[in-house]
């Protein structure tokens, strides 16, 4: 199988793009897909600074790599959640990648700040560990964007992530989420702009990218996410994709193009006020979710802001 | 496992209804679900005549049985499509069920009228045999409703059928279909009202109904439908249902309740005109799809109307 752009041996076939790609053109093609998403969804003007939330996994490392390769001013941050071996390994991957690309990586560590990890902090969350973890991560993203003066926070969500999240929202017809789900969430009243430049790339494509570019990433999924329904939705979509290539792409991109406008009428601008404890935006007239989560564990929520603001002094 | 309504042995558990049911209460429960759908979706006033499109399969026979049991004036029609053994067997099942319940069954036979079957008639359909078959069936439904003065045509579509059809429309975000898909399509300009009273019942529940009530039905699926994507969608939904009972129900019923209203703004009333050949309603300013399909095979489309009108003279 030859590359569709040159005579070299192809290493990956992307059926929905009708493309067979050699190493060189795979890298080019996937980066072009990222640029296409950045432009289409107005994610990032070329001269603006962006900060990438990296986990040590393939998607976020590939994203940081692509942004740097394409000349974006991209820094990164890593959150050590204190999940035993998983956090140890993923932090090593994140840090050695940063060294390799001479990138600016900030690390914030829950064990160092609080002498405890996400497992303990999330124990009293009425929903799930993933829910508590998500709210802590989103909080930290906003603080980084604010003190570091970044135009946006970029996450490594890929097409599989976005399509499976869409499927979950669709199976329950959560019209609020359906009106908001976007690869480019504008900044709003002190909340940072959040962008997903890899939303056009499938999971196996970011993996192929890392292998091709010799990016060493953590293979394991987070041990705390076991049994998450997103895995079921991904499996469903992968099976349908196998039978009908392009299903995932069509489902997600046609949603944004064709169906989401119908739900926009449901979009209510949420009024944000300042959290009485940390001063960050919150939709409720009391402590924000982050402060409540930390306080419920007798932890000082302000330590996170102090730590991050210190990076940029 | 005991019935949740009496002390008898339960034979089926319906997790999403939190019900374990003995034979007697299974029949009652499923019929109640049908009545609930009929009322909720304003399908059929108690004194109106209805005609059931029966195929010899479990769903349509269960539907006819339930309607008769609950006192509806329900006749039925069967279309012999001339699909070899499959049609032979399904017609026998339909006819012996009609005899058993002393029901009024009309049979219309493509081989008798045209000396050929759906396989040959659909050969030149640019889409698929299922597409040609569907248009012929819909045409025949309308003619029966018209000449027999029925308030509505009832079909045996169950929850699995409706949810899988919704999933197909959703994966492609076909907003036109999404605005129209309904268990109760009102009559419109000469097109009959079409109702799906079993839309709250899962496939295995109509099967259990038939077994309990000793209704002999054809087990085989139509041989011409092999590989249809609706089977993939059903499998997907069944897998999700296993992991999270109620998924199918929620997906379909919440769609109708919550999400469909958003798409209604897309609903365009289609202007119908009379087909120049048969006089039946069509959206195009030329022969209707049925007449074109028949004429493209040098078959006289008017024979169907003559045959059916003859039944009611």
């Amino acid at each position: 199988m030859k590359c569709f752009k040159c005579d070299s041996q192809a290493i990956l076939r992307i059926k929905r793009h009708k493309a067979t790609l050699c190493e060189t053109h795979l890298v080019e093609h996937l980066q072009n897909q990222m640029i296409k998403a950045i432009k289409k969804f107005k994610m990032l003007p070329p001269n603006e600074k962006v900060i990438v939330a990296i986990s040590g996994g393939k998607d976020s490392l590939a994203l940081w790599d692509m942004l740097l390769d394409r000349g974006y001013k991209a820094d990164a941050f890593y959150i050590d959640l204190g999940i035993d071996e998983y956090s140890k390994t993923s932090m090593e991957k994140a840090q050695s990648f940063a060294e390799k690309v001479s990138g600016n990586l900030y690390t914030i560590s829950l064990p160092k700040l609080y002498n405890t990890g996400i497992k303990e902090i999330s124990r009293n969350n009425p929903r799930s560990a993933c829910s508590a973890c998500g709210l802590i991560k989103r909080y930290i993203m906003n603080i980084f964007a604010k003190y570091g003066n970044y135009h946006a926070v970029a996450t490594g969500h890929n097409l599989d992530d976005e399509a499976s999240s869409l499927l979950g929202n669709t199976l329950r017809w959560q019209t609020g989420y359906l009106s908001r789900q976007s690869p480019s969430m504008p900044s709003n009243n002190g909340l940072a702009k959040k962008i997903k430049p890899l939303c056009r790339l499938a999971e196996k494509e970011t993996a192929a990218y890392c292998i091709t570019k010799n990016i060493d990433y953590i293979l394991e999924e987070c041990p705390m996410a076991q049994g998450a329904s997103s895995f079921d939705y991904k499996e469903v979509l992968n099976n349908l994709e196998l039978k009908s290539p392009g299903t995932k792409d069509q489902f997600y991109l046609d949603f944004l193009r064709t169906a989401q406008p119908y739900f926009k009428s449901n979009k209510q601008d949420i009024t944000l006020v300042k959290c009485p404890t940390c001063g960050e935006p919150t939709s409720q007239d009391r402590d924000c979710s982050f402060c409540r989560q930390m306080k419920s564990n007798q932890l000082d929520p302000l330590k996170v802001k102090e730590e991050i603001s210190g990076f940029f002094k």
Side-chain angles (χ1 to χ4, degrees), chain A residues 125-178:
Chain A
N125 188 290
R127 293 168 71 196
S128 69
C130 294
S131 161
C133 185
L135 81 84
I136 291 173
K137 282 177 179 167
R138 284 191 297 276
Y139 185 82
I140 291 176
M141 283 180 197
N142 282 319
I143 306 293
F144 266 107
K146 176 178 174 170
Y147 287 106
N149 258 318
Y150 292 99
H151 178 77
V153 181
T155 56
H157 292 91
N158 58 38
L159 176 60
D160 294 68
D161 298 321
E162 291 302 284
S164 78
S165 152
L166 175 60
L167 183 58
N169 290 336
T170 304
L171 286 170
R172 287 183 289 272
W173 294 106
Q174 292 176 302
T175 55
Y177 287 133
L178 289 169

Side-chain angles (χ1 to χ4, degrees), chain A residues 114-116 121 291 293-302:
Chain A
Y114 294 112
N115 208 20
T116 185
I121 295 175
C291 287
Q293 184 70 45
M294 301 312 272
K295 282 184 179 177
S296 72
N297 287 285
Q298 284 82 49
L299 301 172
D300 175 8
L302 297 178

Side-chain angles (χ1 to χ4, degrees), chain A residues 27-88:
Chain A
V27 168
E28 183 190 82
H29 181 78
L30 297 180
Q31 290 187 355
N32 285 347
Q33 291 293 320
M34 177 191 74
I35 298 293
K36 197 171 172 179
I38 288 177
K39 287 185 177 161
K40 164 85 187 164
F41 299 110
K42 299 185 177 54
M43 293 181 180
L44 194 60
N47 294 315
E48 293 281 2
K49 282 200 316 173
V50 63
I51 189 154
V52 186
I54 65 168
S55 66
K58 63 187 184 323
D59 302 306
S60 53
L61 293 185
L63 172 59
W64 194 14
D65 187 81
M66 287 187 189
L67 287 168
L68 290 172
D69 258 16
R70 288 300 180 107
Y72 284 96
K73 294 177 204 147
D75 297 336
F77 69 87
Y78 170 86
I79 307 172
D80 172 9
L81 296 158
I83 311 174
D84 314 323
E85 274 306 301
Y86 174 75
S87 286
K88 199 168 159 278

